Amino acid sequence: MNSENIPYITIQALNRLPYYLQYLKTAKKNNIKYISAAVMASDLNLNEVQVRKDISAVCTTKGKPKIGFIVDELIDNIEDYLGYNNSMEAVLVGAGNRGKFLLADDKFEKYGLNIAAAFDIDESIVGSTICGRQVFHLGKLKNLCERMHIHIGIIAVPEEAAQNVCNLLVSCGISSIWNFALIKLSVPGSVFVQNENLFASLSAFSQHIRKNNVTSKIL
Amino acid sequence: MNSENIPYITIQALNRLPYYLQYLKTAKKNNIKYISAAVMASDLNLNEVQVRKDISAVCTTKGKPKIGFIVDELIDNIEDYLGYNNSMEAVLVGAGNRGKFLLADDKFEKYGLNIAAAFDIDESIVGSTICGRQVFHLGKLKNLCERMHIHIGIIAVPEEAAQNVCNLLVSCGISSIWNFALIKLSVPGSVFVQNENLFASLSAFSQHIRKNNVTSKIL
DNA sequence: TAGATTGTTAATCGATTAACAATC
DNA sequence: TAGATTGTTAATCGATTAACAATC
C-alpha cells in the first residue's frame, strides 16, 4: 500500500486498531483461520457494526457471508495500515525518566517508529547507552539530524524546557514532533505536532475510583 | 470536596484538565492573578465556550464579568478534582520496560496515584529497588495487598501474561485495575478495568506523517 | 433453499460550537 | 453608562448504533 492510498480514519477508530491486531494475532496463534465481526466485537466489547466499518476503512480484504474474514489477511492489512513495514527514523530529546520507556519498549519499533538516537543535557546521562541507543549531548542534534536525514522529533523533557527544545528541533529541520510535555508548542505552520497526554487516562481512572468510593466500600 | 460531590465529566474534558493545570501553574509563576476563558482558549488552541464549560463542571469558583477567573482558585479546584490531595495506594505488576516509567515519573504521584510496591517474576529484577520502590516476587502480592489494604492494581506485563496476573490481582482483593496490556481482561462484574493504549497516539502520529509524505517532501 | 454474515444507508446519540441574555 | 466577559440555551457536527438489503 503506498502512502497516497492510505485513507484517513477517525482517531477513535485508529485507537481500536492496536486492540484488533493483538486480538487477531492471539487468534492466529490458536489456529483460528476465519473470524466474523460479531465474534470480534463480542470478545473486545465493541459494537459489531463498528468493527465492520473499521475493517472496511483499513483493510482491502473483504469478508464473506457465512464465513467472515480471513485472520491472516486482516493482520497483514492492519499491519500495513499502521506502518509496520514502513519504518520512520526519529530522534528523542530527553533521555530521563520520561524518555527512557520509549527506548525500552520494542513495541514502538514494531509500530514503525525507530528511534535512531537520544539527546540530553544531563552530563550524568550523556555518553551512556540506553537499550542499545547512544545518548548524545543536545549540541550534536543538528549534525546528526542532517547527516541521517531525520525529520521526526520526540520531546520528552520537562514542560519548562519543551518550547526551547522544540525551537531547536525546528531549526534542525524536524517537521513532525511527538510532544510529551503538557504544553501547547508554538511552531511554524509547516510543522506538525502530536501531543501525548500520559496523565489523561490516569485522571479518568482516579475519577472513577473516587466517585465510586471503591476503597471505603471494600474496607 | 468529598467524593460524593464530584460530578462526572466527559473523558474528553478530563483529558483537557492536565493541560489547563499546567497552563495555569505557568501563568501563576508569571504573576498572573486573573485570567479569562478567552485567553486560555486562545493559548491552548481550544474553543472558548468549551473552556468555560469545563471550568464550570469542575470548579466551584465562578468567573466575574470583565475580570475572568482567579488563577489560584482554578488551580486549587482542578487539583482537588484530579485528586492531588487524595492519594490512592496501588501495586504495580511488571517492573520491566513497560512498568518502570510509572515508577520513575513523579507526576503520577502528584496526580494522586501512589505505587506502594512493584512485583515481578524475573529473578534478575526481584529484590532490586527502582526509584525508591522495592521489587518483590509475585508470590508476595497477596500478603502485601492485605497487609496494606491496597485495592488498586496496575498491569504492565506482556499480553500473554496479563489475564493470569489479572486473576491473581482479583484474588488478592484488588477492585480497580489499570491495564497496559492490549487485551480485554475478563473480570468479575464488581472489578473496574481502565485500559491504557500507549500505541494509540503513535498510530495517529504515524498516520499523519505517512499520509503527508513528510519525509519525501523534505528530502 | 435457508440462514448466517457482510456492507451500507438511515436514525440516534453525544460532544462541540454558536448565539445571546445576564452581569459586573 | 458602555463594553467585556460570564454562563446557558439552541444549533451543529460527527461518531456510534440500528435497520435492512445483498450475498454466499
Side-chain angles (χ1 to χ4, degrees):
Chain A
M1 192 188 282
N2 84 52
S3 64
E4 300 299 320
N5 296 332
I6 295 176
Y8 262 114
I9 60 171
T10 62
I11 296 283
Q12 292 88 335
L14 209 44
N15 292 353
R16 289 187 288 268
L17 294 185
Y19 285 99
Y20 293 151
L21 193 53
Q22 186 68 40
Y23 173 83
L24 291 164
K25 284 184 171 177
T26 305
K28 184 180 175 161
K29 262 190 206 154
N30 297 332
N31 272 308
I32 294 168
K33 302 287 179 209
Y34 302 94
I35 201 155
S36 75
V39 170
M40 284 183 69
S42 139
D43 284 346
L44 290 165
N45 254 148
L46 296 169
N47 180 285
E48 186 182 330
V49 182
Q50 192 167 56
V51 172
R52 257 186 237 121
K53 277 207 168 168
D54 288 347
I55 288 174
S56 83
V58 162
C59 299
T60 50
T61 183
K62 300 286 166 200
K64 286 189 181 162
K66 271 203 102 168
I67 292 166
F69 298 86
I70 298 170
V71 171
D72 273 337
E73 289 186 6
L74 287 180
I75 292 175
D76 284 349
N77 284 177
I78 295 175
E79 286 191 348
D80 265 358
Y81 190 89
L82 289 173
Y84 267 49
N85 318 313
N86 199 350
S87 173
M88 307 170 292
E89 296 285 314
V91 288
L92 169 67
V93 182
N97 295 333
R98 276 197 185 178
K100 228 180 282 177
F101 82 96
L102 290 166
L103 296 167
D105 200 324
D106 61 357
K107 275 251 163 100
F108 290 98
E109 203 164 326
K110 287 200 189 135
Y111 273 70
L113 190 83
N114 188 33
I115 301 172
F119 295 85
D120 212 298
I121 49 165
D122 182 344
E123 291 298 344
S124 68
I125 311 178
V126 170
S128 67
T129 301
I130 301 176
C131 303
R133 256 74 51 103
Q134 256 197 285
V135 182
F136 298 101
H137 190 275
L138 202 51
K140 297 193 174 163
L141 183 63
K142 185 156 199 165
N143 183 275
L144 189 131
C145 287
E146 286 173 355
R147 199 158 42 79
M148 296 187 69
H149 302 292
I150 291 175
H151 301 286
I152 298 169
I154 305 167
I155 297 180
V157 301
E159 275 71 20
E160 311 83 71
Q163 184 62 58
N164 283 338
V165 165
C166 173
N167 298 344
L168 179 64
L169 284 167
V170 171
S171 78
C172 292
I174 294 295
S175 54
S176 302
I177 292 173
W178 195 12
N179 174 36
F180 283 77
L182 290 174
I183 66 165
K184 189 213 137 207
L185 296 169
S186 297
V187 291
S190 59
V191 174
F192 169 70
V193 177
Q194 164 100 16
N195 293 304
E196 179 74 43
N197 181 356
L198 280 180
F199 306 101
S201 163
L202 175 56
S203 302
F205 189 56
S206 308
Q207 166 170 273
H208 180 94
I209 291 168
R210 278 198 308 284
K211 184 70 184 177
N212 288 274
N213 251 333
V214 174
T215 310
S216 50
K217 244 196 259 169
I218 302 290
L219 285 176
Chain B
M1 193 189 279
N2 85 53
S3 64
E4 300 299 321
N5 296 334
I6 297 176
Y8 263 113
I9 61 171
T10 64
I11 296 285
Q12 291 88 335
L14 210 43
N15 292 353
R16 290 187 287 270
L17 294 185
Y19 286 99
Y20 293 151
L21 193 53
Q22 186 68 41
Y23 173 83
L24 290 165
K25 284 183 172 178
T26 305
K28 183 180 175 162
K29 263 190 207 156
N30 297 332
N31 273 310
I32 294 168
K33 303 286 179 209
Y34 301 93
I35 202 156
S36 76
V39 170
M40 285 183 68
S42 140
D43 285 346
L44 290 166
N45 254 148
L46 295 169
N47 180 285
E48 186 183 329
V49 181
Q50 193 167 54
V51 172
R52 257 186 238 122
K53 276 207 170 168
D54 288 346
I55 289 174
S56 83
V58 162
C59 299
T60 51
T61 183
K62 299 286 166 202
K64 285 190 183 162
K66 273 202 100 168
I67 293 167
F69 297 87
I70 299 170
V71 172
D72 273 339
E73 288 185 6
L74 287 180
I75 292 175
D76 284 349
N77 283 177
I78 295 174
E79 286 192 346
D80 264 359
Y81 190 89
L82 289 173
Y84 268 47
N85 318 313
N86 199 349
S87 173
M88 307 171 292
E89 295 285 315
V91 289
L92 169 67
V93 182
N97 295 333
R98 279 198 181 176
K100 230 181 278 176
F101 83 95
L102 290 166
L103 295 167
D105 200 323
D106 61 356
K107 275 250 163 101
F108 289 97
E109 202 164 326
K110 285 200 190 135
Y111 273 69
L113 190 81
N114 188 34
I115 301 173
F119 295 85
D120 213 298
I121 50 166
D122 182 343
E123 292 297 344
S124 68
I125 311 177
V126 170
S128 67
T129 301
I130 301 176
C131 303
R133 256 73 53 104
Q134 257 198 282
V135 181
F136 298 102
H137 190 275
L138 202 52
K140 296 193 176 163
L141 183 63
K142 185 155 199 165
N143 183 275
L144 188 132
C145 287
E146 287 174 354
R147 200 158 40 80
M148 296 186 70
H149 302 292
I150 291 174
H151 301 287
I152 298 169
I154 304 167
I155 297 179
V157 300
E159 275 71 19
E160 311 84 73
Q163 183 63 57
N164 283 337
V165 165
C166 172
N167 297 345
L168 179 63
L169 284 167
V170 170
S171 78
C172 293
I174 294 295
S175 54
S176 301
I177 292 173
W178 195 13
N179 174 35
F180 284 76
L182 289 174
I183 66 166
K184 190 215 136 206
L185 296 169
S186 297
V187 291
S190 59
V191 174
F192 169 69
V193 178
Q194 163 100 15
N195 293 304
E196 179 74 42
N197 182 355
L198 280 180
F199 305 100
S201 163
L202 174 57
S203 302
F205 188 55
S206 309
Q207 166 169 275
H208 180 95
I209 291 168
R210 278 198 309 284
K211 184 70 184 176
N212 288 275
N213 251 334
V214 174
T215 309
S216 49
K217 246 194 262 171
I218 302 292
L219 284 177

